[in-house]
C-alpha cells in the first residue's frame, strides 16, 4: 500500500501546529490583535473532524526519542537508554543515548521510564462487529481509530462482509485522508452456500476464480476462505489469488488444514480451533460442524503422531498460523471481562455482558479444555518451526474491541507460554514477514518506517504494560490514543 499521502499529512500537520502556535502567541499579545487571532482560530476549528490532524500529538520533520527502552520486535532482549531518530517518517538512527546525538533542530522527546516497540502488525482484524443475531454492522470508521489508538499500525482484515468499504477505507488511510493503520484489505469471504446473510455463495471453481479476480480489480489485496468452501473452489481461489500476488488465508471446516496446505493456502486462522482434520467420519467438502471439530481438538495429544504429522505438513509447506485467542477467551468460563467495553454503545455493552454471564454459567463448555489445549498446540507449532502470527477477530458474541483486544492478544500469547519478547515478535515482525513487508515494517531498525508505539513501563518484563500506550507513531507521526478513543467513545456500534 502506498503511503505517499502520509508525507502530505506530516506537511499539513506541521503547518497546522505552526498556525496554532501563532494563534496562541497573538492571543497572548492582547486584545488589540484579537481580530487577527480570530481567523486563525476559525481555520483550526473548521478543519475536517475526520482528518488525521485532529488526533496528532507530535509531528516534526525530525524527532529524537531519547532515553527509551527499545524492544525491537525481533525477540532480542530490550535495550536500555536508547535514542531513536525519526526523519521524514522513517527511522534514521537508533542506538545508545550516549552515542546517538539528536540532530540539530530535532524535536526531542525524553522517554525516561518508557519503552518503544514496533507498531503492532495484526492479522485477523475486521471492520465489522456483531451487532445482532447473525448480523454484522460495518464499523470501519470508528474501528480504524481504535486500532491505531491500541498501537496497531498495520492490519489485515481477515474477512469482509461489506464489499467496498474495507477497500475504500484502506485507500483513504493510505492517502492520508483518514487516521488508521495501513490496511491489507481482504475481499468479501470466499465461501460456499451457507446461512450467512452477508456472504456470497460460490458454488463452482469458476465462480470462486471470478470472485477473487473481481475483488482484486476493485482493490482487495488478500483473500479469506470460509467454513463451507469446497476443495475445488478453494483451489481455484488460491490459483487466481497467487497469480495476482495475493495471499489466501482461511477459517476452514469443510476443507481440513492438511487438505488446504496441499492446495497451497498461505495461512490458517484461529490456531487449531478450526481444524476438522481429526473428525473420524468427516466427509470431503462437508463441514461436520465447528463443535465436532473442536471436541476432537480438545482431546488431541500435542505429542501424538497425528498432530505431529499435521504440524510437519504445515511447516514443510510454509503455512502460517494465526492465533486469535482473544475471541475464544470470551467464550471461556473463568476468564476476565475483556478490555475496552466502555467505548461501545450501551446496547452492545449490555448484549456482551449477557453473553459473558452465559459463558460463566456453563461448566460443560468445551472451552474449559479447548482454550488451554489450543495454547499448547500453538506452542508446539512454533517449537516445530512454524510461523505464528496474531490477530483478534472482533466477532463472536461481542466483547472483542479493536485496539484493546490487540493488546489483550499479546498478553494472551504470554498466558500461552511465550515470553513477552516472543509474544511481541509474533505481533510485529512475524506478521511483517508473512506479509513480505519486513524490509519496511515490523521491527525497530534504521531505514524502516517509523511505526512505533511508546508505552509506559516495560512490557519486556511486564506484558500488561502493552496496554499503557502513550503515543502511536505511524510513518513518523505521533498520534494521541486518548484523542482517537474520545472521538468514538460510547458510539462504537453505530459507525
Ligand atoms: Zn474473523
Amino acid at each position: 500500500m502506498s503511503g505517499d499521502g502520509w508525507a502530505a499529512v506530516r506537511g499539513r500537520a506541521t503547518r497546522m501546529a505552526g498556525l496554532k502556535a501563532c494563534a496562541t502567541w497573538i492571543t497572548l499579545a492582547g486584545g488589540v490583535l484579537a481580530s487577527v487571532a480570530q481567523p486563525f482560530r476559525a481555520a483550526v476549528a473548521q478543519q475536517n473532524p475526520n482528518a488525521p490532524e485532529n488526533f496528532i500529538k507530535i509531528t516534526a520533520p525530525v524527532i529524537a526519542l531519547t532515553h527509551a527502552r527499545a524492544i525491537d520486535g525481533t525477540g532480542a532482549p530490550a535495550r536500555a537508554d536508547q535514542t531513536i531518530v525519526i526523519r521524514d517518517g522513517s527511522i534514521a538512527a537508533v542506538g545508545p543515548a550516549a552515542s546517538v546525538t539528536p540532530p540539530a533542530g530535532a524535536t526531542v522527546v525524553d522517554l525516561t521510564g518508557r519503552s518503544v516497540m514496533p507498531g503492532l502488525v495484526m492479522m485477523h482484524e475486521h471492520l465489522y462487529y456483531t451487532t445482532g443475531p447473525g448480523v454484522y454492522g460495518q464499523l470501519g470508521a470508528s474501528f480504524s481509530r481504535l486500532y491505531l489508538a491500541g498501537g496497531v499500525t498495520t492490519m489485515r482484515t481477515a474477512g469482509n462482509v461489506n464489499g467496498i468499504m474495507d477497500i475504500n477505507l484502506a485507500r483513504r488511510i493510505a492517502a492520508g485522508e483518514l487516521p488508521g493503520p495501513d490496511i491489507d484489505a481482504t475481499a468479501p469471504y470466499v465461501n460456499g452456500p451457507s446461512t450467512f446473510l452477508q456472504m456470497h455463495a460460490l458454488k463452482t471453481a469458476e465462480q470462486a476464480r471470478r470472485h477473487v479476480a473481481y475483488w482484486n480489480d476493485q482493490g482487495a489485496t488478500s483473500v479469506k476462505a470460509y467454513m463451507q468452501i469446497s476443495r475445488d473452489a478453494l483451489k481455484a481461489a488460491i490459483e487466481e489469488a497467487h497469480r495476482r500476488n495475493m495471499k489466501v488465508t482461511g477459517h476452514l471446516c469443510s476443507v481440513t488444514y492438511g487438505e488446504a496446505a496441499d492446495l497451497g493456502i498461505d495461512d490458517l486462522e484461529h490456531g487449531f480451533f478450526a481444524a476438522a482434520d481429526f473428525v473420524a467420519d468427516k466427509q470431503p467438502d462437508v463441514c461436520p460442524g465447528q463443535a465436532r471439530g473442536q471436541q476432537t481438538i480438545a482431546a488431541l495429544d500435542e505429542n501424538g503422531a497425528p498432530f505431529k504429522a499435521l504440524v510437519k505438513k504445515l511447516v514443510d509447506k510454509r503455512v502460517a498460523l494465526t492465533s486469535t485467542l482473544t475471541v475464544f477467551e470470551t467464550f471461556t468460563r473463568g476468564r476476565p471481562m475483556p478490555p475496552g467495553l466502555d467505548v461501545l454503545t450501551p446496547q452492545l455493552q449490555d448484549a456482551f455482558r449477557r453473553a459473558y454471564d452465559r459463558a460463566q454459567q456453563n461448566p460443560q463448555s468445551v472451552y474449559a479444555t479447548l482454550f488451554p489445549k489450543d495454547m499448547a498446540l500453538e506452542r508446539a507449532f512454533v517449537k516445530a518451526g512454524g510461523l505464528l502470527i496474531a490477530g483478534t477477530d472482533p466477532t463472536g458474541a461481542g466483547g472483542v474491541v479493536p485496539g484493546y483486544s490487540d493488546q489483550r492478544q499479546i498478553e494472551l500469547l504470554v498466558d500461552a507460554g511465550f515470553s513477552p519478547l516472543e509474544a511481541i515478535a509474533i505481533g510485529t515482525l512475524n506478521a511483517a514477514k508473512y506479509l513480505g513487508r519486513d524490509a519496511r515494517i515490523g521491527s525497530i531498525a534504521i531505514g524502516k518506517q517509523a511505526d512505533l508505539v511508546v508505552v509506559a513501563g516495560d512490557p519486556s518484563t511486564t506484558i500488561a504494560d502493552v496496554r499503557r500506550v502513550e503515543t502511536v507513531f505511524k510513518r513518523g507521526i505521533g498520534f494521541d490514543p486518548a484523542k482517537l478513543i474520545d472521538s468514538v467513545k460510547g458510539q462504537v456500534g453505530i459507525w
Side-chain angles (χ1 to χ4, degrees):
M1 189 65 66
S2 156
D4 294 343
W6 286 71
V9 177
R10 285 192 295 275
R12 288 201 307 269
T14 305
R15 283 195 299 280
M16 187 60 76
L19 264 184
K20 280 182 184 165
C22 189
T24 306
W25 180 83
I26 292 168
T27 306
L28 288 175
V32 180
L33 291 173
S35 61
V36 180
Q38 207 55 41
F40 283 118
R41 283 209 209 99
V44 172
Q46 281 171 12
Q47 40 176 319
N48 172 2
N50 298 316
E53 285 86 331
N54 298 295
F55 309 101
I56 290 174
K57 191 182 207 173
I58 174 170
T59 182
V62 185
I63 300 170
L65 308 176
T66 62
H67 306 297
R69 181 182 301 96
I71 299 168
D72 71 5
T74 65
R79 282 166 294 148
D81 201 18
Q82 301 285 299
T83 291
I84 300 168
V85 177
I86 302 170
R87 184 189 296 275
D88 297 329
S90 294
I91 298 170
V94 54
S99 58
V100 175
T101 309
T107 297
V108 177
V109 184
D110 185 335
L111 294 181
T112 302
R114 280 112 175 145
S115 301
V116 179
M117 45 185 254
L120 298 175
V121 182
M122 298 303 278
M123 301 297 285
H124 192 126
E125 311 316 309
H126 292 299
L127 297 172
Y128 66 82
Y129 187 86
T130 314
T131 49
V135 177
Y136 299 92
Q138 191 66 18
L139 305 185
S142 60
F143 273 22
S144 47
R145 292 183 195 176
L146 290 174
Y147 278 120
L148 188 63
V152 179
T153 50
T154 300
M155 59 181 259
R156 177 183 66 186
T157 59
N160 157 0
V161 295
N162 196 54
I164 203 68
M165 187 175 178
D166 286 26
I167 296 165
N168 282 343
L169 207 47
R171 280 197 183 114
R172 294 203 51 203
I173 290 170
E177 295 169 8
L178 293 171
D182 287 347
I183 297 177
D184 181 14
T186 300
Y189 288 88
V190 172
N191 198 20
S194 77
T195 56
F196 281 90
L197 294 170
Q198 289 158 281
M199 283 190 197
H200 295 256
L202 303 168
K203 296 195 182 83
T204 67
E206 180 54 19
Q207 285 174 351
R209 193 197 61 72
R210 285 208 311 267
H211 179 95
V212 169
Y214 174 82
W215 284 104
N216 179 237
D217 287 345
Q218 303 311 305
T221 47
S222 71
V223 171
K224 164 100 177 269
Y226 204 61
M227 294 171 65
Q228 285 82 22
I229 192 75
S230 69
R231 290 165 300 170
D232 275 357
L234 179 59
K235 180 170 187 281
I238 291 169
E239 283 171 2
E240 188 64 23
H242 287 175
R243 207 169 66 75
R244 292 164 173 265
N245 289 319
M246 290 191 290
K247 290 191 170 177
V248 180
T249 191
H251 170 176
L252 300 177
C253 181
S254 49
V255 177
T256 67
Y257 281 25
E259 289 167 344
D262 285 334
L263 294 174
I265 204 164
D266 301 290
D267 183 12
L268 295 161
E269 298 304 303
H270 304 305
F272 290 95
F273 283 98
D277 298 59
F278 307 102
V279 175
D281 58 352
K282 183 180 178 312
Q283 301 300 307
D285 297 330
V286 178
C287 172
Q290 186 116 77
R292 293 224 30 228
Q294 292 188 336
Q295 279 154 11
T296 65
I297 299 299
L300 200 60
D301 175 5
E302 65 264 34
N303 298 308
F307 179 68
K308 286 196 157 176
L310 174 60
V311 167
K312 183 173 187 314
K313 175 174 278 196
L314 300 182
V315 173
D316 286 350
K317 293 187 177 284
R318 297 173 173 273
V319 182
L321 188 73
T322 311
S323 172
T324 64
L325 295 167
T326 36
V327 68
F328 299 108
E329 181 179 41
T330 63
F331 307 145
T332 305
R333 193 173 180 233
R335 305 295 304 188
M337 240 347 174
L341 296 176
D342 60 331
V343 303
L344 301 174
T345 60
Q347 290 89 339
L348 288 181
Q349 291 185 39
D350 288 348
F352 176 70
R353 289 207 170 88
R354 286 194 299 275
Y356 181 85
D357 288 345
R358 283 195 299 276
Q360 302 315 304
Q361 290 156 13
N362 182 5
Q364 276 84 46
S365 167
V366 70
Y367 285 97
T369 47
L370 180 59
F371 189 68
K373 174 62 72 173
D374 179 78
M375 288 176 160
L377 301 180
E378 290 183 15
R379 276 203 318 277
F381 174 76
V382 172
K383 203 171 165 198
L387 181 68
L388 189 68
I389 57 182
T392 63
D393 196 12
T395 60
V400 182
V401 181
Y404 298 92
S405 58
D406 295 275
Q407 297 159 4
R408 182 68 185 150
Q409 172 64 23
I410 305 301
E411 287 184 296
L412 286 173
L413 288 168
V414 175
D415 266 14
F418 295 103
S419 73
L421 290 165
E422 287 170 334
I424 291 167
I426 290 166
T428 57
L429 188 57
N430 278 17
K433 284 179 183 165
Y434 173 78
L435 291 170
R437 298 190 58 207
D438 51 312
R440 284 294 287 152
I441 62 168
S443 67
I444 301 177
I446 293 172
K448 286 204 181 185
Q449 211 162 286
D451 291 351
L452 303 167
V453 183
V454 177
V455 298
D458 181 7
S460 75
T461 55
T462 305
I463 197 60
D465 286 348
V466 293
R467 297 192 195 196
R468 300 169 67 196
V469 177
E470 293 185 347
T471 311
V472 181
F473 284 92
K474 188 194 163 196
R475 295 178 186 262
I477 299 175
F479 285 91
D480 184 341
K483 282 185 187 168
L484 289 160
I485 291 166
D486 285 349
S487 74
V488 304
K489 201 164 199 170
Q491 301 175 68
V492 178
I494 301 170
W495 52 283

